[in-house]
């Protein structure tokens, strides 16, 4: 068991200011885009406040590079975010691999995240060391807590793909869903499930290390490495603008200002990406969901 | 160690204040603890209900980070030690513990996950921790429980701080009130009491201060009562002082005050080297005034005398009444005896001025004795003794005399006292004896009886004259016992002689005035009956002085004696008052001419004339006459020639003792005429034979 201790300190002024900014942005995102500003959307794997804290500097940076206003938009949940995708309200968007695969008809990937120095990540199944589970087959009849929903690439699709590859069927284990991959790992730590589906970088997240004693967990299975979260723009975006945006993102590592932006976004860099880079993802989606664009 | 009233009062007030403050402190602290404990509960319940309300969504979504946010937020609240979300199975799924409480953290960390809730619950039983649990329910399904621990540490700190502050405040209040009450008590109560104590001390020293009344409260009333008391005590003291030091009748200083003033005068005279005189004044025959005019008149006389004496004095001199009819005068700064004599003369003159008492004109005479300081004594006792002696001598000398004290007076006084002491035992030791001097018929020269004479043969001083010791016996009252003894012995002798066949004739016995007053006739009758003596065989000789003392009683007693049948003789006729009224009022049988008149016969013409007059008067009154002190034939011849009935004296026979007198009677000498140079004038009559007289001195 790990106990996280609270420090006696008030909320920072920055946190309060960010919260106010977030409230203002969610009230009128579309109007801003219509006025010629580019809308940057980020999927809600983090809460809105954290998302804004991390990505507002990036939006400002891109805006500066483009000479055009770029507005960061967050969504209160995945449903609202996905409606924005479907309605193509975002000019620039970061989401997970499954989201891209599903929206590839209207959005074109131009870059990918580099996190913790890696451009890829893998789906992982975690178990407690004291659970005596050492093979995927032992998950039969057990409860698996997946991070995110059924559209979570690393939290659900990749782990289920590995289980399917191991011969398990969906009906042979109980699926539960935590709000995000980190919580699925925490749930297993707290013995609320037998295994957790998450990304291979989750266990390194400071939030997770602060919440639990990760030493009591172990990796049951790891999928192949998959390119990290994609950055996409609308396919209707002019090529020149698309390239400018790609260049701005990819060159972040090359300037001090860019590095600060990356640090703020908890990224080590952004690399170029193209559609075919996500074919391995499509293979897994197809195996787990039976289709690439479920209705 | 003894505490004063102020200390006791202050300590009592401080104790009461302290107890009151302590009780108040306890009440407020207790109430505060209850209120803050309740507030702690309320806050804990508010947090718990809030978490229970918002947690289901996070639990259902397995949003542990959110739960962690909740528990972190709860745990960051003041006084919250831990916030914990556990599954229905009791497995903790989110927990935060306040980092500052290291001991508690260690105990919680030491607990296993499955035992953590019970561990926390047990911690909640401790005084420093309040443990609360709240179920987390969604659609009536228990999703878990929220455990929150509220620390009482700040509450206890606050209570300790409040207790400390309150104690300091109360201590300050107690000290202030104690000091204020002590000061008020000091000024309002103690100061008046101290004044009363000081005033009481002054009263004890004989002073009578007035205590200032500064308030109308009980202390003011006490001060007023004290003043009233001191006034009353002052009045009583003055009255007592007057009663103790002044004579109630005359208003003059009494003996005590007189002695005090003498003492002061002695001290003053010692310093100044002056002389002063004491004059002891005693009224002569004051008893006669009381007896004849009543005590009221006697008192009036004393008041008048006191006033007259005081009028004769200078301002510096003092007059005091010592008691009875005795006055004492202190004359300061005396130059010489002549000055004292003049003052004494003025006093005698003033005292003897006639005054009206009870409707009668009274002339009071007094005798004055004088003693001088330091000549006649250097202290009060010596001066008083000597001045008293001087007064006694003056009174003995003559009424209205003034005598200065001399050393010889003391010698005489001492001798008199020794005589008085010896006289007390003279009877017991047989030192007194009767002698008999025959009385003869003047013409027949035959003995007809004898006068009984008392003799005292002192073992050391030899023969003591009756003229010497009888006044002492009369003054001391011993004369009564002696007189009775004489009478008894005379009766015994007479009875013995008769029993032996001797005819003793008459016995003449002198009776004192003191002896005469006390039922003398009754006792004499009993004695005569006892010895079988015929009353006519006794002749009682009474002096004129006895008659003067109490007319009624004397008349009554003389009447009784006459009824008894004894003969009565008026002794020493001619030497005293010689009032013919006595002869008329009191019937006597015999007159005795004093030997002082006989001594001058026949050549002294005055004596001869007086004797002849007495004899003529006696013949007229049918009284027999006895002449005393006949020592010469010429005297006897003169007496016989002028009709004197009886004679006694050395010419005829000397006094002789009982045995000699008995022999004298037996020898028949009594039947023989005394050898005289002159022949007897005739036969002895029966009256002559019966007229036996005998003197005690």
């Amino acid at each position: 068991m790990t106990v996280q201790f609270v420090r006696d300190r008030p909320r920072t002024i920055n946190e309060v200011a960010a919260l106010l900014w977030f409230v203002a942005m969610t009230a009128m995102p579309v109007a801003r885009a219509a006025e010629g500003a580019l809308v940057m959307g980020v999927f809600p794997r983090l809460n809105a406040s954290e998302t804004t804290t991390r990505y507002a500097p990036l939006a400002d940076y891109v805006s500066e590079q483009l000479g055009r206003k770029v507005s960061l938009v967050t969504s209160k949940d995945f449903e609202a975010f996905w409606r924005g995708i479907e309605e193509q309200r975002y000019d620039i968007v970061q989401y997970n691999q499954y989201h891209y695969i599903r929206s590839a008809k209207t959005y074109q990937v131009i870059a990918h995240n580099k996190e913790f120095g890696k451009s890829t990540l893998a789906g992982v199944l975690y178990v407690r060391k004291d659970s005596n589970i050492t093979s995927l087959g032992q998950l039969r009849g057990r409860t698996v807590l997946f991070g995110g929903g059924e559209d979570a690439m690393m939290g659900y699709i990749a782990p289920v793909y590995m289980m399917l590859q191991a011969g398990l069927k969906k009906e042979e284990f109980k699926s539960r869903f935590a709000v995000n991959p980190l919580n699925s790992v925490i749930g297993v730590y707290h013995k609320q499930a037998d295994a957790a589906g998450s990304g291979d970088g989750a266990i390194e997240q400071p939030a997770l290390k602060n919440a639990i004693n990760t030493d009591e967990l172990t990796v049951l299975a790891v999928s192949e490495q998959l390119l990290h979260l994609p950055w996409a723009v609308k396919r209707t975006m002019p090529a020149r603008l698309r390239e400018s945006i790609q260049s701005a993102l990819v060159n972040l590592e090359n300037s001090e200002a860019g590095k600060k932006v990356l640090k703020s976004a908890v990224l080590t860099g952004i690399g170029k990406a193209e559609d075919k880079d996500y074919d391995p993802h499509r293979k897994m989606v197809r195996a787990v969901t039976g289709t690439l664009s479920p209705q | 160690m003894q505490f004063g009233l102020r200390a006791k009062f202050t300590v009592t007030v401080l104790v009461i204040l302290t107890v009151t403050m302590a009780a108040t402190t306890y009440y407020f602290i207790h109430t505060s603890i209850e209120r803050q404990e309740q507030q702690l509960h309320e806050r804990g319940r508010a947090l718990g209900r809030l978490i229970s309300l918002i947690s289901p969504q996070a639990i259902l979504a397995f949003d542990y980070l959110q739960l962690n946010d909740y528990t972190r937020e709860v745990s960051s609240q003041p006084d919250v030690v831990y916030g914990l979300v556990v599954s229905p199975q009791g497995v903790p799924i989110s927990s935060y513990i306040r980092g500052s409480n290291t001991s508690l953290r260690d105990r919680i960390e030491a607990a296993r996950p499955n035992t953590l809730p019970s561990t926390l619950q047990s911690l909640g039983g401790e005084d420093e921790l309040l443990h609360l649990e709240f179920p987390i329910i969604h659609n009536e399904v228990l999703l878990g429980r929220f455990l929150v621990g509220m620390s009482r540490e700040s509450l206890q700190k606050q209570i300790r701080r409040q207790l400390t502050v309150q104690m300091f405040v109360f201590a300050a209040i107690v000290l202030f009130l104690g000091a204020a009450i002590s000061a008020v008590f000091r000024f309002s109560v103690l100061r008046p009491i101290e004044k009363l104590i000081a005033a009481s001390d002054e009263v004890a020293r004989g002073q009578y201060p007035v205590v200032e009344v500064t308030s109308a409260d009980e202390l003011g009333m006490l001060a007023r009562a004290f003043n009233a008391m001191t006034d009353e005590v002052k009045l009583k003291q003055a009255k007592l002082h007057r009663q103790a030091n002044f004579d109630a009748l005359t208003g003059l200083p009494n003996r005590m005050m007189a002695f005090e003033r003498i003492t002061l005068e002695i001290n003053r005279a010692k310093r100044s080297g002056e002389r002063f005189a004491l004059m002891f004044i005693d009224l002569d025959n004051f008893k006669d005034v009381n007896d004849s005019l009543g005590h009221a008149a006697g008192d009036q006389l004393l008041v008048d005398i006191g006033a007259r004496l005081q009028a004769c004095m200078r301002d510096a001199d003092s007059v005091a009444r010592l008691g009875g009819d005795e006055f004492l005068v202190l004359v300061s700064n005396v130059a010489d005896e002549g000055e004292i004599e003049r003052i004494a003369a003025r006093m005698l003159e003033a005292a003897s001025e006639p005054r009206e008492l009870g409707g009668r004109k009274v002339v009071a005479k007094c005798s004055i004795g004088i003693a001088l300081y330091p000549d006649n004594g250097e202290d009060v006792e010596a001066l008083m003794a000597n001045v008293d002696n001087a007064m006694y001598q003056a009174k003995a000398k003559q009424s209205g005399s003034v005598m200065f004290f001399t050393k010889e007076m003391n010698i005489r006084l001492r001798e008199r006292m020794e005589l008085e002491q010896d006289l007390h035992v003279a009877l017991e030791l047989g030192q007194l004896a009767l002698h008999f001097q025959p009385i003869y018929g003047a013409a027949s020269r035959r003995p007809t009886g004898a006068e009984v004479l008392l003799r005292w043969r002192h073992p050391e001083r030899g023969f003591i004259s009756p003229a010497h010791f009888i006044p002492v016996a009369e003054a001391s009252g011993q004369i009564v016992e002696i007189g009775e003894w004489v009478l008894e012995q005379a009766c015994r002798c007479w009875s013995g002689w008769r029993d032996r066949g001797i005819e003793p004739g008459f016995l003449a016995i002198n009776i004192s005035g003191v002896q005469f007053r006390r039922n003398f006739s009754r006792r004499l009758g009993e004695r005569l009956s006892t010895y079988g003596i015929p009353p006519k065989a006794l002749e009682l000789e009474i002096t004129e002085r006895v008659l003067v003392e109490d007319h009624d009683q004397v008349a009554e007693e003389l009447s009784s004696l006459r009824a008894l049948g004894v003969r009565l003789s008026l002794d020493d006729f001619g030497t005293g008052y010689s009032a013919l009224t006595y002869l008329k009022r009191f019937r006597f049988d015999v007159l005795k001419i004093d030997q002082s008149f006989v001594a001058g016969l026949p050549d002294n013409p005055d004596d001869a004339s007086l004797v002849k007059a007495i004899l003529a008067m006696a013949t007229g009154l049918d009284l027999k006459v006895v002449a005393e002190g006949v020592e010469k034939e010429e005297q006897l011849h003169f007496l016989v020639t002028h009709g004197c009935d009886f004679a006694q004296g050395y010419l005829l026979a000397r006094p002789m003792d009982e045995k000699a007198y008995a022999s004298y009677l037996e020898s028949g000498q009594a039947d023989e005429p005394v050898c005289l140079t002159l022949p007897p004038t005739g036969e002895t009559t029966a009256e002559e034979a019966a007229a036996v007289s005998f003197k005690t001195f």
Side-chain angles (χ1 to χ4, degrees):
Chain A
M1 181 186 74
T2 296
V3 177
Q4 181 178 356
F5 293 93
V6 176
R7 293 181 182 84
D8 292 326
R9 58 177 175 79
R11 289 178 181 275
T12 62
I13 295 175
N14 288 339
E15 287 173 327
V16 175
L19 182 61
L20 293 173
W21 187 87
F22 164 75
V23 172
M25 289 301 101
T26 52
M28 45 184 183
V30 177
R32 284 288 184 94
E35 290 173 357
L38 294 173
V39 176
M40 178 183 285
V42 177
F43 79 125
R45 65 168 174 164
L46 303 172
N47 60 47
S49 175
E50 186 66 19
T51 300
T52 302
T53 302
R54 289 189 183 188
Y55 290 96
L58 178 59
D60 293 340
Y61 176 82
V62 173
S63 175
E64 187 180 339
Q65 294 299 315
L66 298 179
R68 185 174 178 179
K69 178 72 176 174
V70 175
S71 300
L72 177 65
V73 175
T74 61
S75 304
K76 64 178 181 179
D77 52 31
F78 280 97
E79 187 178 353
F81 172 75
W82 191 250
R83 278 199 302 275
I85 294 295
E86 288 178 333
E87 294 170 4
Q88 297 185 52
R89 283 182 296 189
Y90 314 118
D91 297 301
I92 306 168
V93 63
Q94 186 204 43
Y95 42 17
N96 71 10
Q97 298 85 339
Y98 179 57
H99 295 146
Y100 170 69
I101 290 170
R102 290 178 60 188
S103 63
K105 288 182 179 176
T106 53
Y107 284 90
Q108 179 181 352
V109 66
I110 58 171
H112 70 275
N113 279 353
K114 293 180 183 176
E115 297 184 8
F116 305 106
K118 292 173 61 179
S119 292
T120 61
L121 75 172
V124 178
L125 279 166
Y126 293 99
V127 295
R128 288 184 61 86
K129 288 180 178 176
D130 56 5
S131 66
N132 295 321
I133 298 173
T134 56
S135 65
L136 292 172
Q138 289 179 282
L139 293 178
R140 185 173 286 106
R142 305 277 185 141
T143 301
V144 180
L145 183 61
F146 297 102
E150 290 182 343
D151 54 353
M153 190 66 215
M154 298 303 157
Y156 178 70
I157 294 174
V160 171
Y161 177 78
M162 286 188 292
M163 293 171 72
L164 294 178
Q165 291 299 310
L168 290 171
K169 297 178 180 177
K170 283 187 179 180
E171 303 78 35
E172 290 178 335
F173 56 89
K174 293 177 184 176
S175 296
R176 295 286 185 271
F177 294 93
V179 292
N180 54 45
L182 295 182
N183 279 311
S184 67
V185 178
I186 295 171
V188 169
Y189 175 82
H190 289 314
K191 301 180 180 178
Q192 301 302 300
D194 298 304
S198 185
D200 61 353
I203 204 166
E204 301 300 329
Q205 291 284 328
L208 194 64
K209 284 183 174 295
N210 288 336
I212 61 175
N213 181 9
T214 55
D215 293 340
E216 294 186 21
L217 300 175
T218 186
V219 175
L220 178 64
V222 182
S223 70
E224 63 180 299
Q225 290 292 318
L226 300 171
L227 196 63
H228 224 303
L229 298 176
W231 287 91
V233 297
K234 287 196 289 190
R235 287 189 180 273
T236 57
M237 181 179 286
R240 189 173 177 182
L241 179 58
R242 183 177 65 237
E243 289 168 358
S244 297
I245 293 171
Q246 185 182 47
S247 175
L249 295 175
V250 170
N251 289 322
L252 281 169
E253 299 176 60
N254 300 325
S255 67
E256 289 302 317
K259 288 178 181 178
K260 285 183 180 178
V261 170
L262 289 173
K263 186 177 181 181
S264 174
V266 198
L267 298 175
T268 54
I270 295 176
K272 285 184 178 180
E274 54 187 353
D275 185 72
K276 65 177 182 180
D277 293 334
Y278 288 89
D279 286 342
H281 304 81
R282 289 189 176 91
K283 179 182 66 180
M284 290 183 182
V285 169
R286 189 174 295 110
V288 172
T289 64
T291 178
L292 291 179
S293 55
Q295 297 299 314
Chain B
M1 183 178 178
Q2 199 165 8
F3 289 102
L5 192 61
R6 183 185 179 190
K8 289 178 182 174
F9 183 81
T10 305
V11 168
T12 304
V13 168
L14 286 178
V15 168
I16 291 172
L17 284 174
T18 303
V19 171
T20 305
M21 293 299 183
T24 306
T25 303
Y26 172 79
Y27 173 76
F28 280 116
I29 294 295
H30 182 72
T31 306
S32 179
I33 290 172
E34 282 188 339
R35 186 174 64 251
Q36 294 187 41
E37 180 81 9
Q38 190 177 1
Q39 288 176 353
L40 199 65
H41 270 269
E42 287 298 330
R43 286 168 52 210
R45 280 194 289 271
L47 289 172
R49 282 194 292 269
L50 176 63
I51 298 302
S52 298
L53 189 65
I54 64 177
S55 292
Q57 187 62 37
I59 293 174
L60 289 171
F62 297 97
D63 192 351
Y64 300 107
L65 292 176
Q66 186 65 55
L67 281 177
N68 285 345
D69 287 343
Y70 292 160
T71 53
R72 183 194 301 116
E73 188 61 28
V74 167
S75 299
S76 66
Q77 295 298 313
D79 301 327
V80 176
V81 178
Y82 56 83
L84 194 69
V85 177
V86 299
S87 68
Q89 294 75 30
V91 177
I93 55 178
S94 178
S95 57
Y96 278 88
I97 296 175
R98 203 175 186 81
S100 59
N101 196 328
T102 54
S103 66
L104 189 61
R105 184 182 63 190
D106 293 342
R107 291 165 69 180
I108 293 173
E109 283 182 346
R112 293 180 177 180
N114 56 348
T115 61
L116 184 58
S118 59
T119 301
L120 295 177
Q121 199 163 15
S122 66
L123 290 176
E126 298 179 3
D127 288 341
E128 61 182 7
L129 198 64
L130 171 65
H131 177 78
L132 298 171
E133 290 189 12
F134 302 91
I136 301 172
I137 298 172
H138 179 73
N139 291 336
E140 299 181 351
V141 175
L142 181 65
L143 300 180
R145 285 176 294 138
F146 177 64
L147 313 181
V148 60
M150 308 293 290
S151 172
R152 292 188 177 95
E153 186 179 1
S154 63
L155 170 64
Q156 290 170 348
K157 280 182 181 175
Q158 187 176 353
I159 289 169
R160 282 195 294 272
R161 185 169 59 251
Q162 183 179 353
L163 183 62
T164 304
V165 171
Q166 206 154 352
M167 284 180 66
F168 273 110
V169 170
F170 283 170
I173 291 172
V174 166
L175 289 176
F176 173 74
L177 287 179
I181 289 171
S182 178
V184 170
F185 187 78
R186 169 79 180 85
F187 287 104
S188 301
V189 179
L190 277 187
R191 180 164 291 180
I193 289 177
E194 286 169 354
K195 286 182 179 178
L196 285 172
I197 292 172
S200 300
D201 290 340
E202 288 193 45
V203 170
R205 291 194 296 270
Q207 303 297 318
Y208 299 97
V210 175
V211 178
E212 184 184 2
V213 179
T214 56
S215 65
D217 55 14
E218 287 80 355
L219 287 170
M221 293 166 64
L222 179 61
R224 274 195 292 275
F226 181 87
N227 288 336
M229 181 191 72
T230 53
D231 289 344
E232 188 65 22
V233 169
K234 190 162 50 177
L235 288 175
K236 296 280 186 188
Q237 193 69 22
K239 189 175 179 181
L240 283 174
H241 181 266
R242 183 147 197 88
Q243 288 175 345
N245 294 282
F246 289 86
D247 175 47
L249 178 63
T250 62
L252 296 173
N254 62 10
R255 178 183 294 271
M256 183 180 296
M257 176 65 90
F259 285 10
E260 191 175 319
R261 289 190 179 177
I262 294 169
T263 303
L264 292 174
E265 189 64 18
I266 288 173
N267 292 333
R268 194 188 66 77
K270 275 183 182 174
R271 292 192 299 271
S272 63
E274 294 174 353
R275 301 169 75 200
F276 69 86
L278 287 183
M279 304 171 72
F280 198 119
I281 303 166
D282 188 90
L283 296 186
D284 296 333
N285 302 315
F286 175 69
K287 184 175 183 302
D288 295 342
V289 177
N290 267 345
D291 292 345
S292 58
L293 301 178
H295 286 279
D299 289 347
Q300 184 57 45
L301 176 60
L302 292 172
V303 172
D304 186 55
I305 292 291
R308 292 186 186 192
L309 292 177
Q310 208 162 16
C312 298
M313 295 291 97
R314 301 169 302 182
D315 290 342
D317 302 334
S318 299
V319 179
R321 182 189 173 208
L322 300 183
D325 57 351
E326 296 173 345
F327 293 87
L328 185 72
V329 173
L330 189 154
V331 183
S332 302
N333 193 17
V334 174
D336 53 46
E337 282 79 355
E339 181 185 2
I340 297 299
E341 284 177 347
R342 288 190 292 277
I343 293 173
R346 284 205 308 271
M347 287 182 176
L348 288 177
E349 184 181 358
S352 61
E353 284 288 323
R355 78 266 290 157
E356 284 283 330
L357 286 177
R360 293 175 59 179
K361 186 167 285 185
V362 174
V363 175
K365 289 194 172 181
C366 53
S367 302
I368 300 177
I370 301 171
L372 294 170
Y373 172 89
D375 312 62
N376 304 139
E378 295 187 354
D379 55 42
V380 178
E381 290 74 20
L383 285 170
M384 284 305 298
N386 293 339
V387 77
D388 182 58
N389 196 0
M391 188 280 295
Y392 176 80
Q393 298 297 333
K395 188 175 281 292
K397 179 184 176 187
Q398 188 182 348
S399 177
S401 297
V402 176
M403 291 200 73
F404 281 87
F405 173 77
T406 61
K407 291 184 178 176
E408 290 72 24
M409 287 181 179
N410 268 352
I411 295 172
R412 285 200 297 273
L413 178 63
R414 188 164 57 249
E415 289 176 350
R416 177 188 170 90
M417 291 176 66
E418 289 174 356
L419 197 64
E420 189 177 320
Q421 293 299 320
D422 292 343
L423 197 53
H424 272 297
V425 296
L427 273 179
E428 296 176 6
L429 299 177
Q431 295 172 3
L432 297 179
L434 295 186
H435 280 61
F436 303 89
Q437 184 175 29
I439 298 174
Y440 288 79
S444 67
R445 297 198 181 190
R446 288 183 179 277
T448 56
E451 182 178 3
V452 177
L453 303 176
L454 182 61
R455 293 291 181 263
W456 180 12
R457 190 165 298 280
H458 193 278
E460 297 172 357
R461 300 167 63 182
F463 174 74
I464 299 177
S465 168
H468 199 176
F469 72 81
I470 287 299
V472 175
E474 284 187 321
S476 66
Q478 292 171 295
I479 192 65
V480 175
E481 187 182 2
I482 293 172
E484 291 296 316
W485 181 84
V486 168
L487 200 59
E488 175 72 17
Q489 293 301 315
C491 289
R492 181 187 58 77
C493 289
W494 194 95
S495 178
W497 293 330
R498 186 192 57 187
D499 293 345
R500 288 165 56 187
I502 301 172
E503 179 53 52
F506 283 82
L507 291 179
I509 304 172
N510 279 270
I511 302 299
S512 163
V514 180
Q515 189 182 4
F516 198 67
R517 295 190 192 107
R518 304 181 180 179
N519 295 321
F520 177 72
S521 59
R522 184 178 56 78
R523 292 196 305 276
L524 180 62
E526 291 171 358
R527 190 166 282 117
L528 291 175
S529 176
T530 300
Y531 287 100
I533 301 173
K536 290 293 183 182
L538 288 184
E539 182 178 290
L540 302 182
E541 293 187 2
I542 301 168
T543 62
E544 285 180 300
R545 199 174 58 181
V546 175
L547 303 178
V548 172
E549 289 176 350
D550 190 331
H551 290 268
D552 294 335
Q553 189 181 6
V554 169
E556 184 180 346
E557 198 64 23
L558 288 176
S559 176
S560 298
L561 290 172
R562 183 164 294 285
L564 190 63
V566 297
R567 297 166 64 88
L568 298 176
S569 172
L570 187 57
D571 198 9
D572 298 337
F573 188 77
T575 58
Y577 304 94
S578 301
L580 298 179
T581 53
Y582 295 150
L583 297 177
K584 181 182 176 184
R585 183 179 177 187
F586 307 111
R587 291 184 57 199
F588 285 92
D589 300 297
V590 179
L591 283 182
K592 294 196 75 170
I593 298 174
D594 189 75
Q595 57 185 348
S596 61
F597 300 120
V598 176
L601 294 179
D603 300 327
N604 188 308
D606 292 338
D607 290 344
S609 298
L610 189 60
V611 170
K612 282 192 288 186
I614 293 172
L615 288 172
M617 181 192 66
T619 303
L621 293 174
D622 194 21
L623 295 172
K624 299 299 180 184
V625 177
V626 177
E628 293 180 306
V630 178
E631 297 179 352
K632 298 176 181 176
E633 280 295 340
E634 293 82 0
Q635 293 169 341
L636 182 58
H637 181 73
F638 181 87
L639 291 169
V640 170
T641 301
H642 292 89
C644 181
D645 302 296
F646 303 100
Q648 68 177 103
Y650 286 179
L651 175 66
L652 300 171
R654 287 181 176 269
M656 55 195 82
D657 62 15
E658 178 187 351
K659 187 176 178 181
Y661 186 60
S663 301
Y664 171 75
L665 292 175
E666 280 183 321
S667 66
Q669 290 180 17
D671 296 332
E672 296 295 329
V674 176
C675 182
L676 296 175
T677 55
L678 290 175
T681 55
E683 294 290 322
T684 301
T685 63
E687 286 86 358
E688 284 177 338
V692 177
S693 172
F694 49 162
K695 292 176 76 76
T696 52
F697 54 88

